[in-house]
Amino acid sequence: SYAAGMMEYDSMNEVQGEIANAAMSGDTSAFTGEAGQLLAEEFQTILDSFSVNMGIAQTSYDEIQVLDGAEDYKEYADLMSQAATLRLSQVDLVQTLVEDFMAMAAESEASGQPLDLNVLLESEELAQLTEIDEEASDLEKQAEDLKQEKNL
């Protein structure tokens, strides 16, 4: 489930990249009206699937903690559970950023003014996402190193 969640995470990043490229071109048509609604729905579907998969993974890792013995597996599971918790905490931040971006695109289209992507790039949410991503990636690396070291 964690791997499936990370595939969804990669899909989220891919869609975000496409959004950023289109936004930099100044064309807001992909983010407004019917196209914007479809994009928001696609993104929400990805987020929902990501949340489900990470939640399942986190529960599975947490269940390992109650096993007798298997200390190496418990340590690995603890690291991965922490990473899953961090990844899940990103969902609300991503949703806020997407909602803010869609509102900015609609405002830009209505006013005829270009999108000011710096507002999003300098946002508290993006800074938090970056920090959480780094922390989760570090935990994932620690878990992978432990897995290799202990032949789990």
Side-chain angles (χ1 to χ4, degrees):
S1 289
Y2 198 90
M6 289 309 292
M7 287 175 57
E8 295 298 339
Y9 185 79
D10 290 342
S11 294
M12 250 188 320
N13 285 333
E14 188 176 308
V15 171
Q16 287 174 330
E18 291 170 13
I19 290 170
N21 288 336
M24 287 190 287
S25 76
D27 179 14
T28 61
S29 63
F31 318 117
T32 56
E34 188 175 323
Q37 185 62 36
L38 290 173
L39 182 62
E41 289 171 10
E42 175 189 6
F43 208 80
Q44 189 61 51
T45 299
I46 293 169
L47 276 176
D48 290 346
S49 180
F50 171 78
S51 295
V52 167
N53 283 310
M54 278 295 146
I56 291 169
Q58 183 179 28
T59 299
S60 297
Y61 290 128
D62 289 346
E63 289 172 354
I64 292 172
Q65 297 301 318
V66 298
L67 297 176
D68 289 332
E71 295 308 313
D72 291 340
Y73 284 102
K74 286 182 179 182
E75 184 179 352
Y76 172 81
D78 180 56
L79 290 167
M80 292 303 292
S81 178
Q82 289 178 58
T85 298
L86 287 170
R87 295 283 181 205
L88 283 167
S89 73
Q90 292 179 301
V91 171
D92 289 339
L93 294 167
V94 169
Q95 285 176 316
T96 298
L97 281 171
V98 168
E99 289 167 5
D100 289 352
F101 177 77
M102 295 300 209
M104 287 174 54
E107 186 178 308
S108 172
E109 185 175 67
S111 70
Q113 297 296 313
L115 278 171
D116 183 4
L117 295 179
N118 288 326
V119 171
L120 291 177
L121 294 174
E122 296 169 0
S123 71
E124 174 80 20
E125 290 85 3
L126 187 58
Q128 288 176 337
L129 273 175
T130 302
E131 183 178 318
I132 291 168
D133 186 60
E134 289 170 0
E135 290 176 33
S137 293
D138 183 54
L139 288 166
E140 292 159 355
K141 183 180 180 335
Q142 289 177 46
E144 185 58 33
D145 289 349
L146 178 68
K147 184 177 175 182
Q148 297 296 319
E149 177 186 323
K150 303 288 183 170
N151 292 318
L152 302 178

